[in-house]
């Protein structure tokens, strides 16, 4: 299975947080899965760390590539077409990080691993 991680799922995986569902753990931990991590997640972690909304972010940002690579995940760059698409959604959501992740999931036809109910309003498949 190919899956794109929402930022909270990535952080919960890194920290072994109990909020990560059993299904999410199974999908992420499955050696047959291709787990994608968006550049938007790095941006979101850095932004929330800077604004003091996220305590763990400092370590994750310093070691982002190392942590992603160590778990066998694949980086997913943000393409201009995805950025444009994210801006065209009529869904009333101001969060630019969620909009980019939704656009990537939709255009790349990848399920988004998320617990965020707002993302279910987008034309994407969500897994949790």
């Amino acid at each position: 299975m190919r899956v794109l991680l929402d930022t909270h799922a990535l952080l919960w995986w890194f920290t072994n947080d109990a909020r990560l569902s059993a299904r999410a753990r199974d999908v992420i931990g499955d050696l047959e899965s291709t787990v994608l991590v968006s550049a938007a997640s790095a941006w979101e972690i850095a932004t929330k760390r800077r604004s003091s909304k996220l305590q763990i972010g400092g370590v994750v940002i310093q070691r982002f590539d190392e942590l992603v690579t160590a778990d066998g995940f694949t980086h997913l760059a943000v393409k201009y077409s995805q950025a444009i698409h994210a801006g065209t959604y009529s869904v009333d959501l101001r969060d630019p990080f969620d909009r980019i992740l939704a656009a990537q999931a939709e255009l790349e036809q990848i399920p988004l691993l998320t617990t965020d109910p707002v993302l279910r309003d987008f034309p994407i498949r969500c897994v949790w």
Side-chain angles (χ1 to χ4, degrees):
M1 172 178 221
R2 290 178 69 213
V3 67
L4 174 60
L5 298 184
D6 196 344
T7 305
H8 65 271
L10 175 66
L11 290 172
W12 292 352
W13 174 263
F14 284 160
T15 60
N16 198 28
D17 194 299
R19 291 175 287 182
L20 194 62
S21 73
R23 168 116 166 95
R25 285 183 197 283
D26 289 346
V27 169
I28 296 169
D30 185 345
L31 297 177
E32 299 297 317
S33 291
T34 299
V35 179
L36 300 166
V37 176
S38 175
S41 290
W43 172 36
E44 181 174 12
I45 294 166
T47 299
K48 289 184 177 179
R49 172 69 178 154
R50 178 185 44 79
S51 64
S52 300
K53 293 180 182 177
L54 185 63
Q55 300 305 313
I56 186 176
V59 172
V60 174
I61 289 303
Q62 290 169 3
R63 300 179 51 212
F64 192 79
D65 182 53
E66 176 187 342
L67 293 169
V68 169
T69 304
D71 279 318
F73 302 160
T74 302
H75 288 285
L76 181 63
V78 176
K79 299 175 185 173
Y80 78 88
S81 58
Q82 296 164 344
I84 290 170
H85 195 69
T88 66
Y89 283 126
S90 61
V91 176
D92 187 25
L93 176 66
R94 296 180 190 260
D95 186 326
F97 311 114
D98 284 347
R99 286 179 162 278
I100 287 287
L101 290 170
Q104 287 183 301
E106 181 182 3
L107 295 178
E108 300 295 321
Q109 299 180 349
I110 307 166
L112 181 63
L113 197 143
T114 185
T115 188
D116 190 341
V118 174
L119 286 163
R120 298 184 193 290
D121 292 338
F122 287 85
I124 61 173
R125 181 171 164 229
C126 294
V127 176
W128 191 252

